[in-house]
Amino acid sequence: LSGLLVTSTVVSAVIGLAIQDMLANVAAGLGVQIEKPFAVGDWLLIGSHEGVVTQFNWRTLTLLTRDRHEILVPNSTVAKTEVVNYSRPTTLQRAHTAVGVAYRHPPGVVKAALARAAGSCPEVATEPPVEVLVKSFGDSAIDYDVRFFIRDFSRLLQIIDDVNSRIWYELNRCNLVI
């Protein structure tokens, strides 16, 4: 009788340990389903993984990255990790780009040119307006932080590319040296 009791206890412990992760994922999945902090189509940053939610079920959350890689994140990880939702409460998100401009150019002139360039991009929101700040004084240039808002976070890299290209052309038109 004692042998049967010990054996059943060991079997129960083994089964319990084997399904522990699955039960944690299911419980976390139910909690997130009830809370609904995100939905399919939202852009999330979970730990070091960023992408759009393509599927969410009782066990995992599926993200599709910018590089078109599919990442399955266990719900227990989602419940324990800080999640940044780039789609809520609004799709309006701030983006940044940095540029260094030679010291000989007055910051007021440079800021106006940088704001014009970023504001001319059709995918940059007009409200709130573009903001340009002096970030630091580097070895050979004043470093500016160009801040602007976008509505389509999935196109972040393309929008930054467009803003940077427009900055280059605008600074050249104004004879400002990068």
Side-chain angles (χ1 to χ4, degrees):
L1 187 61
S2 66
L4 182 61
L5 186 59
V6 170
T7 302
S8 66
T9 303
V10 170
V11 169
S12 296
V14 168
I15 290 172
L17 289 173
I19 64 171
Q20 180 180 4
D21 286 342
M22 186 178 72
L23 289 175
N25 286 331
V26 170
L30 288 173
V32 174
Q33 290 277 356
I34 291 168
E35 189 179 328
K36 296 189 187 306
F38 48 79
V40 171
D42 284 0
W43 272 89
L44 302 180
L45 173 65
I46 301 174
S48 63
H49 303 298
E50 179 186 289
V52 64
V53 177
T54 58
Q55 184 179 356
F56 182 64
N57 60 39
W58 62 272
R59 195 178 70 77
T60 61
L61 169 81
T62 305
L63 293 177
L64 185 64
T65 69
R66 293 183 194 282
D67 293 331
R68 306 314 243 176
H69 300 149
E70 194 172 71
I71 299 174
L72 301 174
V73 183
N75 287 334
S76 58
T77 302
V78 174
K80 289 187 247 178
T81 307
E82 182 177 288
V83 177
V84 178
N85 190 336
Y86 295 111
S87 301
R88 293 185 189 188
T90 173
T91 57
L92 191 66
Q93 297 293 320
R94 181 157 54 188
H96 299 256
T97 191
V99 62
V101 179
Y103 274 102
R104 69 176 180 254
H105 306 299
V109 172
V110 174
K111 286 180 173 184
L114 294 173
R116 256 191 325 274
S120 72
C121 178
E123 291 184 280
V124 169
T126 55
E127 284 298 321
V130 174
E131 181 180 35
V132 181
L133 303 172
V134 172
K135 185 176 180 180
S136 64
F137 296 100
D139 291 337
S140 59
I142 297 175
D143 298 316
Y144 294 88
D145 182 18
V146 182
R147 300 172 175 194
F148 51 92
F149 285 84
I150 63 173
R151 294 203 179 274
D152 186 356
F153 194 77
S154 68
R155 293 196 33 80
L156 174 67
L157 301 178
Q158 293 85 356
I159 296 169
I160 289 175
D161 172 70
D162 190 19
V163 167
N164 284 337
S165 297
R166 290 168 186 265
I167 285 173
W168 187 90
Y169 285 111
E170 181 66 23
L171 293 179
N172 275 324
R173 274 192 292 276
C174 296
N175 294 317
L176 300 172
V177 178
I178 296 175

